[in-house]
Amino acid sequence: MTAPEAAAATAATAAQTATTATTATTAEILVAAMAREIEDGAVIATGVASLLAILAIAVARATHAPRLTYIACVGALDPEIAALLPCSEDLGYLDGRSGEVTIPDLFDHARRGRIDLMFFGAAEVDAAGDTNLSGAGPLERPRVKFPGVAGAASLRRWVARPVIVLGRQSRRNLVPRVQVASTSDRGRRTRLLTDLGVFEVGAAGADLVARHPGCSAAAIAERTGFAFRSAHPLPVTPVPSPESLRAIRRIDAGGLRDRLVG
């Protein structure tokens, strides 16, 4: 390649990246960030109410991690995910499976250290990384009951790398202290991905380690209820690659992601 050709290729790549940054939605930026957490060859599992996680796994498999192993909560090993279905417990996620895995099997694999990564949601998260999935108010007499813990309390401690995901960050869900500590894992730092940026939380407190494109550190602070440290300069999350965007939009053609993020 000649020097002018190399310069033209570099300019084209820069233009393509700029176009991606302006066309990717908040939901697509978050899903791409989740997908980047998955390494090729990793074993990933999802629980209930995990549509964003399912989409991120499908995108990772279609792009940089074709050799990942996926255990779905409906009992399927490596199901095909041709399209994102509206419920993570949809029996359509049994299609194309290479085998079946029971819930006791899933817990056994996690306890033995065989699950590399799992995404977890929460109603509240604090700077120590404790999460609330139980309810608002005292546990003995809650004002509002949340969906519940299911197996998150154990699985979060057992999987090699838990990642917490919040689709709509606010002072109501990033709080100084959770009302009920449904899950806790203070022995290590935990990644926290939101629609605004990326935190690390744990016993030593919270650190903002990156902001998403179009989000400022000041805007993130306005929507964060706990104190946090911030990297200087603050890195910006990479924009989704064109390949990732194509995969997101093909697998979730109905736009379910946009109902869950932002």
Side-chain angles (χ1 to χ4, degrees):
M1 182 181 291
T2 65
E5 289 173 334
T10 300
T13 299
Q16 186 178 52
T17 299
T19 299
T20 300
T22 57
T23 60
T25 67
T26 300
E28 289 165 345
I29 290 171
L30 177 56
V31 170
M34 293 171 66
R36 284 193 297 271
E37 297 289 329
I38 301 170
E39 297 181 358
D40 195 18
V43 178
I44 319 295
T46 57
V48 299
S50 300
L51 283 182
L52 289 178
I54 293 171
L55 179 56
I57 290 165
V59 170
R61 177 187 279 166
T63 55
H64 67 277
R67 295 178 299 172
L68 68 81
T69 298
Y70 172 38
I71 301 173
C73 70
V74 291
L77 177 65
D78 282 331
E80 295 178 359
I81 309 174
L84 190 67
L85 303 173
C87 174
S88 54
E89 294 79 53
D90 195 303
L91 294 184
Y93 289 123
L94 292 170
D95 293 347
R97 65 191 183 279
S98 62
E100 297 180 1
V101 180
T102 67
I103 294 299
D105 287 336
L106 170 60
F107 276 77
D108 184 60
H109 285 307
R111 188 68 184 90
R112 293 170 184 267
R114 297 171 180 166
I115 306 297
D116 295 309
L117 184 145
M118 194 166 180
F119 295 105
F120 294 89
E124 293 179 330
V125 183
D126 60 28
D130 292 350
T131 72
N132 179 7
L133 302 110
S134 302
L139 187 59
E140 300 79 13
R141 188 175 294 178
R143 297 189 306 274
V144 178
K145 290 185 178 181
F146 299 149
V149 183
S154 298
L155 288 171
R156 182 178 168 193
R157 289 177 176 268
W158 291 344
V159 300
R161 201 159 67 84
V163 177
I164 302 170
V165 178
L166 293 179
R168 296 185 178 96
Q169 177 181 331
S170 74
R171 288 178 173 267
R172 294 182 63 183
N173 54 31
L174 292 192
V175 296
R177 185 175 180 178
V178 297
Q179 298 175 74
V180 178
S182 306
T183 80
S184 183
D185 190 9
R186 297 192 180 191
R188 55 181 171 173
R189 304 291 285 170
T190 301
R191 195 86 153 170
L192 166 61
L193 305 180
T194 81
D195 56 325
L196 301 183
V198 182
F199 292 86
E200 295 280 350
V201 292
D207 293 276
L208 178 64
V209 298
R211 62 179 179 86
H212 293 327
C215 296
S216 67
I220 294 173
E222 287 180 1
R223 288 169 58 181
T224 305
F226 54 63
F228 61 87
R229 299 172 292 269
S230 182
H232 296 285
L234 184 61
V236 179
T237 306
V239 298
S241 68
E243 183 182 22
S244 291
L245 273 184
R246 286 194 295 270
I248 291 170
R249 293 169 182 177
R250 171 175 53 81
I251 297 164
D252 182 24
L256 290 171
R257 61 193 179 278
D258 293 314
R259 305 179 199 175
L260 302 171
V261 179

